[in-house]
Amino acid sequence: MEKTDVILVLGHRLLPDDTPSEDLKRRIDKAVELWKETGASMIMPCGGLTRDRHRTEAEVMKEMLMERGVPSEQICLEDKSRITLENLVNACDLVGTEKRVAIVSSDYHMDMAMKDAEAVGLNAYGVGAETPDVSYREQTRAMLNGFEEKLDMLRRQGFSNREVIRMCMENMSSMQKAQDHFTVAEMLEMQKTLRDKYTQWERYSPEAGPNHLLWMIGEVGEVIDIVKKCGAAESCKDPNLRSQLVEEMADVLMYYNDVLWCFGITEKELKESYLAKYERNLHRW
């Protein structure tokens, strides 16, 4: 077994009730397994406070580690970071570049984590916690590797790691602000952009409306299948299932907006009709 001074456990976004995701549980189990094998003197959970959560990832991970038998005095928190690169920059500030560090994360996350560790200068090796869902693992790995390529590009342009972190957080903040004001008009415009780009797709018209309605119903069926097969409560709680559920609901909305385009229904008309229907229902029962 490789000499290990410190085990870094990279965080994963907590569930809405501030409890750990299944991915995070697997990371912690792998870290404890490695701690027992290597006799590392320190475990460092990494992860700060993220949007709409009330506890840091590191704080929750410390509790999980102690429940699994790791003494409190061997746990050192890095509870300020929000993205992987920041995890590793902050961790490097705390442990230095001389100690041999094991980085524990999900298997799909290891490519990105090790590239960031190299960029930071950590003397590190990686240990991935296995993700049972192969499709989820490969899709997430591809997404994260694409994000890491953008970070590499910024570093090649001469930006420091801290400058890259700042730019990432500014970009994420801008995206979040845009998402906070996600309107029907924006969805309609996005669907039109897709329709204009992919000229082979069926053009908007009243005659095409029934087809889009059927496709929308098909996507509703995909949502129903997830809930029927996995259960309503589990589909909301399990992060992998929830991701699939939300994705299928997004597909429903995409076809719904196609239907609006086909029949020429504007955001103004929809809002007026919705509000009128709301008022009727408010006093109907």
Side-chain angles (χ1 to χ4, degrees):
M1 178 55 64
E2 188 161 357
K3 176 184 181 295
T4 307
D5 299 307
V6 181
I7 299 171
L8 300 184
V9 195
L10 300 185
H12 188 277
R13 185 167 170 79
L14 301 176
L15 299 178
D17 60 354
D18 291 327
T19 56
S21 66
E22 291 302 314
D23 282 5
L24 189 54
K25 291 176 185 177
R26 285 190 284 267
R27 295 181 190 187
I28 290 295
D29 287 340
K30 177 59 71 173
V32 172
E33 177 186 322
L34 189 64
W35 171 70
K36 291 177 179 177
E37 290 176 357
T38 64
S41 60
M42 181 191 297
I43 300 184
M44 181 175 291
C46 300
L49 189 66
T50 56
R51 181 181 172 86
D52 297 328
R53 300 298 183 264
H54 304 93
R55 305 184 71 195
T56 67
E57 294 166 10
E59 176 188 2
V60 172
M61 285 193 280
K62 179 177 181 178
E63 292 179 357
M64 297 167 69
L65 289 167
M66 292 177 64
E67 288 169 1
R68 289 158 174 78
V70 181
S72 174
E73 59 269 20
Q74 287 190 248
I75 303 172
C76 177
L77 301 188
E78 186 293 290
D79 57 0
K80 306 300 181 187
S81 55
R82 297 150 295 178
I83 59 175
T84 303
L85 180 58
E86 194 173 26
N87 287 159
L88 298 172
V89 166
N90 290 349
C92 189
D93 288 344
L94 292 169
V95 304
T97 58
E98 298 302 319
K99 291 182 179 179
R100 186 60 169 161
V101 173
I103 297 176
V104 176
S105 191
S106 300
D107 46 12
Y108 59 75
H109 190 211
M110 291 311 304
D111 290 346
M112 179 180 192
M114 294 312 297
K115 285 183 180 179
D116 282 349
E118 182 180 2
V120 168
L122 279 170
N123 177 17
Y125 69 97
V127 180
E130 183 179 357
T131 305
D133 188 328
V134 176
S135 176
Y136 169 75
R137 180 179 69 218
E138 295 308 314
Q139 288 178 9
T140 308
R141 175 182 284 138
M143 178 190 70
L144 291 174
N145 287 348
F147 180 68
E148 184 64 23
E149 287 175 6
K150 295 177 182 177
L151 302 192
D152 279 340
M153 180 184 69
L154 290 172
R155 284 189 283 253
R156 287 194 298 270
Q157 292 173 2
F159 293 103
S160 70
N161 287 311
R162 295 186 190 280
E163 287 172 328
V164 171
I165 292 167
R166 177 183 56 77
M167 287 186 283
C168 285
M169 298 315 301
E170 287 175 353
N171 185 53
M172 289 171 65
S173 177
S174 296
M175 290 176 62
Q176 189 61 58
K177 287 178 182 177
Q179 291 171 0
D180 287 345
H181 303 283
F182 199 37
T183 65
V184 173
E186 288 174 317
M187 286 191 285
L188 284 169
E189 188 58 36
M190 292 164 74
Q191 284 306 107
K192 185 176 182 299
T193 299
L194 289 174
R195 195 68 41 178
D196 291 343
K197 179 176 180 180
Y198 298 107
T199 56
Q200 71 272 25
W201 288 5
E202 187 176 21
R203 298 296 91 190
Y204 291 133
S205 69
E207 291 73 24
N211 285 338
H212 288 283
L213 277 168
L214 289 173
W215 290 328
M216 183 181 75
I217 292 169
E219 294 299 335
V220 171
E222 296 286 344
V223 175
I224 293 170
D225 281 345
I226 293 172
V227 174
K228 284 178 63 179
K229 290 177 182 176
C230 305
E234 192 65 19
S235 298
C236 293
K237 183 178 178 181
D238 183 274
N240 296 342
L241 290 175
R242 186 180 182 87
S243 176
Q244 295 174 36
L245 184 71
V246 174
E247 181 179 348
E248 295 302 336
M249 284 301 302
D251 283 339
V252 171
L253 279 174
M254 284 185 165
Y255 283 118
Y256 173 78
N257 282 287
D258 281 340
V259 171
L260 295 181
W261 272 113
C262 285
F263 293 111
I265 299 172
T266 66
E267 182 189 42
K268 182 174 181 293
E269 288 177 304
L270 187 66
K271 181 178 180 180
E272 289 174 351
S273 180
Y274 190 98
L275 290 175
K277 185 76 173 179
Y278 168 76
E279 288 295 330
R280 288 199 300 273
N281 287 341
L282 195 61
H283 304 289
R284 179 173 292 176
W285 295 284

